[in-house]
Amino acid sequence: MRYKLAAAFLTMTIASPALAEDAVCYNCPPQWADWASMLEAIDKEIDIQMPHDNKNSGQTLSQLLAEKDNPVADVAYYGVTTGIKAGNEGVATAYKPAGFDEVPEGLKDPDGKWFAIHYGTLGFFVNVDALGGAAVPQCFADLTKPDYRGMVGYLDPSSAFVGYAGAVAVNMAFGGDLDNFDPAIKFFNDLAENSPIVPKQTSYARVVSGEIPILFDYDFNAYRGKYEEDGNFEFVLPCEGSVRVPYVMSLVNNGPNPELGKRVLDFILSDKGQAIWTNAYLQPSRPVELPAEVAAKFLPASDYERAVAVDYAKMEKAQAGFGERYLSEVK
């Protein structure tokens, strides 16, 4: 009998859930957008622990689709076009967190299948000390010059959303639009002659180390490097112009812990949650004013006038086609 009781107790112990309230977020990498601070705040403020996750947007959607019948994640974070696709593919479900009504129209699904949590502006994250004496590039056109051979990095635009956002910015800079990506294809082929570095994952640490001296990236990562790392870093908003892009979140359809997921999303859109993004040099999606000391660290507003919004739904529809062209035409 003792052995039966011991076995029963052991079975009960193994089957019991962990005491901590754990939720899973896909694509919450600590080095990107200072998710590290947000995850710490979620733990401290609402007592939910979420592990770090280093997927990119495309990998997140692929995993959600693969797990559609048995989801693992509770919430997901991605570039806006991937968020739209997640809603269309049925792996994101409708939920309107507190504060949802204050997110501007066009930056959220009317039913709440996705909604913006913050913005980034695409440009160059530059490690000045790693340029070997070359000037800090000011324009997309500069990057194909021999001075920058082997120095330019961009995330794979067929997979990572920031890579695709960079492609849209380049395309618009050279006269293209969301119906015509010929200029972007030409640019990436020209850049290929200059031995670029094309990682699939967020590469903040590789810029800080000098391995990638110039990276197509968002302003918030460059400002973080400039003000928080040892070294000489700059953010450049290209002379030809660029794009401002929201990042969005969703509640995963039939996720294992929907109530925890909802609490996480409520916190992220709350005043306290949105303020955390401003400390990471992000523009919040709700009209939360930037602290003066943060605003002073950004490029002048006149520079940001060169960065425009686009039709994000149309951008989403064009993404797969561009990715296929990039993989087949860029050598």
Side-chain angles (χ1 to χ4, degrees):
M1 177 63 72
R2 281 184 305 170
Y3 297 116
K4 288 182 180 179
L5 287 172
F9 178 78
L10 181 61
T11 301
M12 289 171 62
T13 302
I14 294 173
S16 296
L19 293 178
E21 290 197 288
D22 292 323
V24 173
C25 174
Y26 278 175
N27 190 20
C28 296
Q31 290 191 335
W32 176 266
D34 198 18
W35 265 103
S37 293
M38 179 59 76
L39 296 177
E40 288 175 9
I42 289 169
D43 186 355
K44 178 181 177 181
E45 298 291 336
I46 59 175
D47 196 27
I48 295 175
Q49 293 76 49
M50 294 199 302
H52 297 163
D53 184 86
N54 285 311
K55 294 179 183 65
N56 66 31
S57 294
Q59 292 165 340
T60 293
L61 180 59
S62 295
Q63 195 77 16
L64 291 174
L65 290 170
E67 298 167 352
K68 191 171 184 178
D69 294 334
N70 190 23
V72 172
D74 302 296
V75 297
Y77 167 80
Y78 13 51
V80 60
T81 61
T82 311
I84 293 171
K85 188 177 289 291
N88 293 339
E89 295 282 354
V91 292
T93 192
Y95 178 64
K96 298 180 180 180
F100 178 86
D101 291 343
E102 293 183 28
V103 176
E105 294 301 321
L107 300 181
K108 60 188 176 186
D109 173 66
D111 296 325
K113 291 182 180 178
W114 55 269
F115 41 86
I117 60 168
H118 54 225
Y119 301 85
T121 298
L122 193 117
F124 309 150
F125 177 15
V126 182
N127 183 329
V128 180
D129 295 332
L131 293 178
V136 175
Q138 296 299 309
C139 307
F140 284 118
D142 291 339
L143 302 181
T144 58
K145 295 177 180 177
D147 308 39
Y148 304 108
R149 184 173 181 81
M151 293 186 181
V152 180
Y154 63 90
L155 268 66
D156 182 347
S158 69
S159 176
F161 177 74
V162 65
Y164 177 53
V168 170
V170 162
N171 194 56
M172 293 174 63
F174 294 106
D177 57 34
L178 295 173
D179 294 314
N180 173 22
F181 277 91
D182 290 348
I185 296 296
K186 181 182 185 305
F187 174 85
F188 285 119
N189 272 317
D190 290 345
L191 189 59
E193 300 295 322
N194 227 14
S195 301
I197 305 162
V198 190
K200 290 186 179 295
Q201 311 291 120
T202 181
S203 297
Y204 178 88
R206 294 175 72 181
V207 179
V208 172
S209 71
E211 182 186 350
I212 303 177
I214 304 162
L215 181 69
F216 285 24
D217 206 347
Y218 287 108
D219 53 352
F220 53 84
N221 275 334
Y223 293 137
R224 178 184 168 202
K226 181 179 178 67
Y227 297 113
E228 298 181 16
E229 301 287 353
D230 292 330
N232 186 5
F233 303 96
E234 294 292 342
F235 174 66
V236 176
L237 207 163
C239 69
E240 301 97 339
S242 190
V243 293
R244 298 189 72 175
V245 184
Y247 272 71
V248 306
M249 291 195 75
S250 299
L251 185 68
V252 173
N253 192 29
N254 295 320
N257 303 293
E259 295 309 311
L260 297 186
K262 290 175 183 179
R263 287 173 56 203
V264 166
L265 296 175
D266 285 346
F267 176 76
I268 288 172
L269 272 193
S270 71
D271 287 352
K272 188 172 287 188
Q274 291 279 280
I276 290 170
W277 299 131
T278 71
N279 291 333
Y281 313 103
L282 285 140
Q283 302 277 359
S285 61
R286 288 181 51 235
V288 177
E289 187 175 355
L290 286 174
E293 64 273 16
V294 173
K297 294 179 178 179
F298 280 62
L299 290 179
S302 57
D303 284 7
Y304 275 96
E305 290 175 2
R306 298 198 302 276
V308 299
V310 299
D311 181 335
Y312 299 111
K314 189 170 184 179
M315 187 175 167
E316 185 276 321
K317 288 183 174 65
Q319 186 170 7
F322 172 76
E324 290 169 5
R325 285 196 66 186
Y326 174 84
L327 290 173
S328 64
E329 297 180 37
V330 176
K331 307 304 180 187

